[in-house]
Amino acid sequence: EAGVAQSPRYKIIEKRQSVAFWCNPISGHATLYWYQQILGQGPKLLIQFQNNGVVDDSQLPKDRFSAERLKGVDSTLKIQPAKLEDSAVYLCASSLRAKLPTSGGEGEQFFGPGTRLTVL
Amino acid sequence: DQQVKQNSPSLSVQEGRISILNCDYTNSMFDYFLWYKKYPAEGPTFLISISSIKDKNEDGRFTVFLNKSAKHLSLHIVPSQPGDSAVYFCAAKGGTYKYIFGTGTRLKVLA
C-alpha cells in the first residue's frame, strides 16, 4: 500500500514570497490533516478535512495560510506571504475515517515524510 | 499553554532493558491518546493508542498505561532494541477532533 506522498521535500524561500505544498493521501482515506512542526516542538494541527469539507481550521493563520482539498483526494497548503516564523516542517497525514463508530477513538493517522520550509 | 507535556527531552537505555517514556496532560476532556515514533527525515509513525475507558493497552513489546486521575500516560518498551532509537511523541484528543501533540522525547537505545 502506497503511503502519504508530499512534495516538495525541501523548500527555501525569502520572506514575503509565496509557497505551496502538495499532499496525496493514502487511497480511500477520507480524512486529511496538515500539521506544522517547528523545531523542538510537537506537530500542531493546522487544518483537518473530512472528504473535501473542512472539519477544523481553528489554528490556521487564515490571513496568510490557505488550504484546499478538491474532489476529496489531493490537498494543497499555501502560504502567502511567508514570514520568518513559518520556517518549519509541514506534515500531511491521512486516516480512513475521523472517528471509529464504537471505541470512541480515532482512525490511525498515517503521516507523509513532510516538507521542510526555510524562510530567509 | 502546553496541554500535553513530555518533560524528558531525552532518554538513554541499555539494549534489552525497559524504556519508559512519560506524558502528562492537563485537559480532562481528552479521551483518546496515541504514541508516535519518528525517525529523522520521516513523518511520525503510529505506535499504539489507548481510549480513556481503558487503563492499559499492549501490543507486542509496547504497552501504554493510562492513569486518568493523575492525567498521566506512559509508554513501556520491553525489551528495548537499538532500532527503537527515535523521537517519541504522545498525542491526545477529546471533545473536538483536534489532536494535541507533546514536544517529544528522544530515546537512545545503547547496544
Side-chain angles (χ1 to χ4, degrees), chain A residues 6 21-23 32-35 45-47 75 77 91-92:
Chain A
Q6 289 188 248
F21 313 127
W22 173 82
C23 173
L32 186 146
Y33 312 79
W34 281 103
Y35 287 87
L45 180 68
L46 292 176
I47 188 167
S75 178
L77 176 70
L91 295 161
C92 178

Side-chain angles (χ1 to χ4, degrees), chain A residues 51-118:
Chain A
N51 297 310
N52 60 351
V54 175
V55 173
D56 186 338
D57 63 356
S58 57
Q59 297 192 114
L60 186 74
K62 298 180 187 65
D63 58 333
R64 299 184 299 105
F65 286 64
S66 64
E68 59 182 9
R69 190 182 184 198
L70 299 175
K71 301 181 182 178
V73 182
D74 292 6
S75 178
T76 55
L77 176 70
K78 297 179 182 178
I79 308 175
Q80 180 179 12
K83 292 185 175 182
L84 297 177
E85 59 260 36
D86 297 332
S87 294
V89 174
Y90 290 84
L91 295 161
C92 178
S94 69
S95 64
L96 193 57
R97 48 185 175 267
K99 196 167 180 70
L100 298 174
T102 54
S103 73
E106 298 287 314
E108 175 189 339
Q109 291 184 49
F110 294 83
F111 282 84
T115 296
R116 181 176 296 277
L117 173 68
T118 302

